[in-house]
């Protein structure tokens, strides 16, 4: 799943990275995520989180944290689904582009996993559009009708 999105018409580059890298903000732009709890005191690399989604839970950690440049999140050992998300931030004081690449490791034959991941890919794209709207305007209405704000 890949996507490059222009974000942050009014929010300067450094603010976009800070907002996105704090995983506790995830429910503000991802309707499928109910909450995200920080599981340790680490900041940046080594930070661990518990993401509670509508139908499951996922523990993950920050494995790369280059301020205002790159954020890589990865499932912690023992999770049912192995996920690695690589976000690359480029921009200046007027705009930010986020290149988002997600790798899923599904314990199924390739043709079945391809079919199963079609829905999540579309969901990721929709969520990133909500993030864009949230950062540009300060608020958004998620796919489930919930109204969220940047604050």
């Amino acid at each position: 799943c890949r996507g490059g999105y222009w974000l942050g018409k009014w929010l300067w580059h450094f603010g976009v990275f800070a907002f996105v890298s704090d995983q506790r903000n995830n429910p503000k732009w991802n309707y499928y995520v109910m909450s995200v709890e920080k599981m340790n005191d680490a900041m940046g690399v080594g930070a661990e989180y518990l993401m509670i989604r509508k139908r499951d839970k996922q523990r993950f950690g920050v494995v790369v944290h280059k301020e205002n440049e790159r954020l890589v999140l990865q499932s912690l050992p023992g999770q049912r689904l192995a996920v690695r998300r690589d976000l690359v931030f480029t921009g200046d004081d007027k705009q930010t582009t986020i290149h988002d690449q997600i790798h899923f490791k599904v314990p199924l034959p390739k043709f079945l996993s391809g079919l199963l991941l079609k829905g999540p890919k579309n969901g990721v794209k929709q969520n990133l559009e909500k993030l864009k709207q949230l950062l540009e305007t300060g608020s958004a209405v998620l796919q489930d009708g919930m109204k969220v704000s940047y604050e």
Side-chain angles (χ1 to χ4, degrees):
C1 205
R2 295 175 189 234
Y5 295 87
W6 181 80
L7 301 174
K9 200 185 285 184
W10 59 269
L11 189 66
W12 56 296
H13 180 62
F14 304 105
V16 171
F17 183 86
F19 183 79
V20 173
S21 66
D22 183 348
Q23 293 301 293
R24 294 168 293 188
N25 287 324
N26 205 297
K28 293 181 179 180
W29 52 275
N30 186 334
Y31 80 101
Y32 200 72
V33 175
M34 307 306 293
S35 66
V36 178
E37 301 170 23
K38 195 150 190 300
M39 302 304 293
N40 63 12
D41 293 330
M43 300 297 288
V45 172
E48 295 182 0
Y49 297 89
L50 172 64
M51 178 183 291
I52 300 171
R53 297 184 294 220
K54 291 186 178 187
R55 293 195 175 116
D56 65 353
K57 297 176 184 178
Q58 180 82 20
R59 289 180 55 237
F60 63 94
V62 176
V63 295
V64 175
H65 187 277
K66 292 184 180 175
E67 191 81 20
N68 303 315
E69 293 178 21
R70 188 170 177 221
L71 178 69
V72 179
L73 309 165
Q74 186 168 303
S75 302
L76 295 175
Q79 300 303 293
R80 196 170 44 134
L81 180 66
V83 179
R84 182 178 173 97
R85 186 171 199 169
D86 193 342
L87 298 128
V88 176
F89 298 75
T90 56
D92 54 31
D93 63 345
K94 294 183 180 137
Q95 69 181 23
T96 299
T97 301
I98 299 176
H99 295 278
D100 184 4
Q101 189 170 17
I102 302 175
H103 303 275
F104 296 90
K105 192 171 189 179
V106 182
L108 294 171
K110 192 172 185 172
F111 75 94
L112 280 178
S113 62
L115 290 173
L116 291 174
L117 293 177
K118 207 174 217 180
K121 285 181 182 180
N122 291 334
V124 168
K125 182 178 179 185
Q126 290 174 6
N127 291 337
L128 290 172
E129 289 297 330
K130 296 299 178 181
L131 174 61
K132 179 180 186 287
Q133 180 184 9
L134 179 63
L135 293 174
E136 288 180 348
T137 67
S139 64
V141 177
L142 302 183
Q143 294 93 319
D144 61 2
M146 187 167 86
K147 295 178 183 178
V148 294
S149 65
Y150 177 75
E151 298 159 7

